[in-house]
Amino acid sequence: MEHDDGVDEHDTPAEVDATFRTLRRVAITHVVLFLAAVMGVPALSLTLGWWSGGRLAGGMSPGFAMAAFGLYAFFLVIGLAAATLSSAVEARMLGGRHDDDNDDYPADGELP
């Protein structure tokens, strides 16, 4: 059975604009977190003596260990968080009818 209620399933300009503004806020937040982490490592080296003078396993200072390993883990986490959140925002705010709205009709591109 074909369903045609005359409603165009394309996103309205208001929906697209709201999604853009939300994604821009998400991106700015992640950029601020990124810059805080990148600038925080040298700032800690300047302000805390133990950050660059202390020794961990292998003779590494906490600052060196953070720069060598910790920042890469942070970059991975923040990248995954940004991608996941952005995809979720876009899926939630755009796309017209969602799968859970009406399960009686097939999604676009699916055969009944």
Side-chain angles (χ1 to χ4, degrees), residues 36-99:
V38 169
M39 300 306 286
V41 172
L44 288 173
S45 293
L46 293 173
T47 57
L48 299 175
W50 63 266
W51 184 253
S52 56
R55 294 293 167 227
L56 299 174
M60 293 185 290
S61 69
F64 181 82
M66 181 64 171
F69 306 111
L71 284 177
Y72 291 106
F74 176 76
F75 296 158
L76 177 67
V77 168
I78 199 167
L80 289 174
T84 303
L85 183 57
S86 296
S87 294
V89 166
E90 187 175 343
R92 191 74 192 215
M93 295 180 78
L94 295 178
R97 173 172 59 92
H98 297 287
D99 291 335

Side-chain angles (χ1 to χ4, degrees), residues 1-3 9 97 99 102-112:
M1 182 167 121
E2 190 172 325
H3 176 64
E9 291 195 28
R97 173 172 59 92
D99 291 335
N102 192 347
D103 292 333
D104 295 338
Y105 300 104
D108 291 340
E110 292 181 359
L111 297 174

Side-chain angles (χ1 to χ4, degrees), residues 11 26 34 57 64 84 88 95:
D11 300 313
V26 167
F34 175 83
F64 181 82
T84 303

